[in-house]
Amino acid sequence: MSIGLYQKVNSALKLLFFIVRVILTNCIICYGSESVAGESIVCLQTDFRDGIPKIGTGFFISPSLIATASHQVTDPSSVPVKITAYLDSGAAIKVKLPVVAQGEKVAILIAPDAIQTNYLLLQDNIPDQGTKVSAVGCQRDLKQLTQEGKVTFSGSNTNDRQSEYADLIALNLPINVGFSGGPLLTANGNVVGIIYGFDERSENLSYAIPGSKLFKIMANEKVADYSKTLFQQGDRAFKLKQYEMAKEYFAEAAQHQADYFEAYIYLGMTLFKMRQFAAARDALLEAIEIEMDYPLAYYHLAGVYREGLSDRLSARNAYRRYLELDPKSSDAVQVQKWLEEIERPLPK
């Protein structure tokens, strides 16, 4: 091979390697083929009455709620007068003041005009040491940047318990100031923490707040949308087929709000996917006890009886009730076929 040809091949391989690396870097924050970068993550600019505006990062945890680090939207010497969230596309979203809830180093904001469907899924447990993670943060030009690293330890295991980094997740991950408030993501795209900051004394040493603290402050501050946010997190997990997590969120939403019949319906749907048919039946019957005239509960209850418990008589009764409540449903023709199949060997 000539030197000229060798150089061309070598350059082509380097370019290919670079492209593959970019793809892999981006896909650490993908749900399958659905990228969440630029959709669920926002750059936050907080303007204060006195002082320089702060640039940081936040991320949606529901269609209208944004989580971030509290120091990004507060200042001990001034009062925030305006907070703007910028999508990666550059579109601006107005954030309502005051801050909905804050504590435990985190803050929750509301963007009343936002309808974000690709909000991020929060994972309750702290990742093990050595777990590969990524962080998404904002630069001064309000463009997002992704950095990769690993978990080194949780702050509760350090000897530095009196410092501001106590009880935080320690990371070997290079970040800059604008990353604060952004999500710490696992390989499957779940949020396990909120980026807090970095230690200037050590290269690549940064810290994240455990994600579980978000819902802790929502419960403590009695945020009005707490039950709804739990439900929305469960719905996100359900769509991602992370059924164990969906089950936990729906159950907690129902426990927090006793008359939340939709939470019981989706809990039943999740338990059905997990093949826990008796528990699915009980959850759906609970929903019906709360709201007797909601068609969807009967539809899924009939499916549990028909496919899971082989109780054709109960399936027939549930399907009949469903058609009574919603005779013009898009599923009415199919339900009628199922009824005909069920009723052939059953007494009228």
Side-chain angles (χ1 to χ4, degrees), residues 243-262:
Y243 296 126
E244 187 62 44
M245 197 177 299
K247 170 186 169 183
E248 292 175 5
Y249 275 123
F250 290 136
E252 190 174 350
Q255 183 179 5
H256 188 263
Q257 183 179 329
D259 62 348
Y260 204 164
F261 68 91
E262 294 99 331

Side-chain angles (χ1 to χ4, degrees), residues 26-296:
N26 289 336
C27 282
I28 199 168
I29 52 172
C30 293
Y31 292 119
S33 61
E34 177 191 359
S35 174
V36 298
E39 297 182 3
S40 303
I41 301 166
V42 295
C43 295
L44 293 174
Q45 178 174 313
T46 306
D47 296 309
F48 294 91
R49 184 174 298 163
D50 303 304
I52 301 172
K54 288 185 179 180
I55 301 295
T57 309
F59 56 95
F60 281 94
I61 57 172
S62 80
S64 60
L65 292 180
I66 298 173
T68 187
S70 58
H71 64 263
Q72 287 300 139
V73 293
T74 58
D75 191 305
S77 61
S78 188
V79 178
V81 293
K82 182 181 178 183
I83 304 175
T84 307
Y86 294 93
L87 298 175
D88 200 37
S89 64
I93 300 172
K94 184 180 178 181
V95 176
K96 188 178 179 181
L97 285 170
V99 174
V100 174
Q102 59 181 337
E104 301 283 350
K105 297 184 173 72
V106 301
I108 297 173
L109 316 172
I110 184 166
D113 298 328
I115 307 176
Q116 180 56 263
T117 57
N118 290 322
Y119 47 89
L120 297 180
L121 178 61
L122 288 168
Q123 186 173 308
D124 194 24
N125 61 300
I126 295 176
D128 296 330
Q129 182 176 346
T131 301
K132 291 183 178 180
V133 290
S134 67
V136 181
C138 294
Q139 304 175 83
R140 292 187 182 277
D141 61 359
L142 300 179
K143 295 297 183 182
Q144 297 178 11
L145 178 67
T146 302
Q147 295 282 40
E148 296 178 334
K150 291 183 179 181
V151 174
T152 55
F153 48 79
S154 66
S156 59
N157 294 327
T158 73
N159 296 321
D160 201 16
R161 297 186 183 184
Q162 301 304 316
S163 78
E164 64 174 313
Y165 302 121
D167 298 319
L168 300 182
I169 304 169
L171 310 162
N172 181 11
L173 190 154
I175 63 170
N176 56 40
V177 175
F179 273 71
S180 293
L184 179 68
L185 301 162
T186 58
N188 65 355
N190 291 351
V191 177
V192 288
I194 305 98
I195 297 297
Y196 180 70
F198 58 90
D199 192 335
E200 295 178 347
R201 300 168 297 180
S202 303
E203 186 178 3
N204 294 343
L205 177 58
S206 53
Y207 294 90
I209 308 156
S212 58
K213 293 191 176 184
L214 273 173
F215 284 108
K216 181 179 178 181
I217 71 159
M218 287 189 74
N220 291 344
E221 296 287 332
K222 298 180 180 179
V223 174
D225 285 342
Y226 179 53
S227 297
K228 185 177 180 181
T229 304
L230 290 171
F231 178 86
Q232 289 163 335
Q233 283 283 308
D235 183 54
R236 189 69 175 145
F238 184 87
K239 289 174 179 175
L240 295 170
K241 299 182 180 181
Q242 298 188 36
Y243 296 126
E244 187 62 44
M245 197 177 299
K247 170 186 169 183
E248 292 175 5
Y249 275 123
F250 290 136
E252 190 174 350
Q255 183 179 5
H256 188 263
Q257 183 179 329
D259 62 348
Y260 204 164
F261 68 91
E262 294 99 331
Y264 282 108
I265 292 174
Y266 276 78
L267 176 59
M269 292 164 56
T270 303
L271 291 165
F272 177 80
K273 291 287 188 180
M274 299 173 73
R275 303 189 66 79
Q276 298 178 21
F277 301 121
R281 174 200 60 203
D282 294 344
L284 290 162
L285 288 173
E286 188 70 34
I288 290 170
E289 186 173 335
I290 297 168
E291 179 53 68
M292 296 183 63
D293 297 328
Y294 197 71
L296 190 63

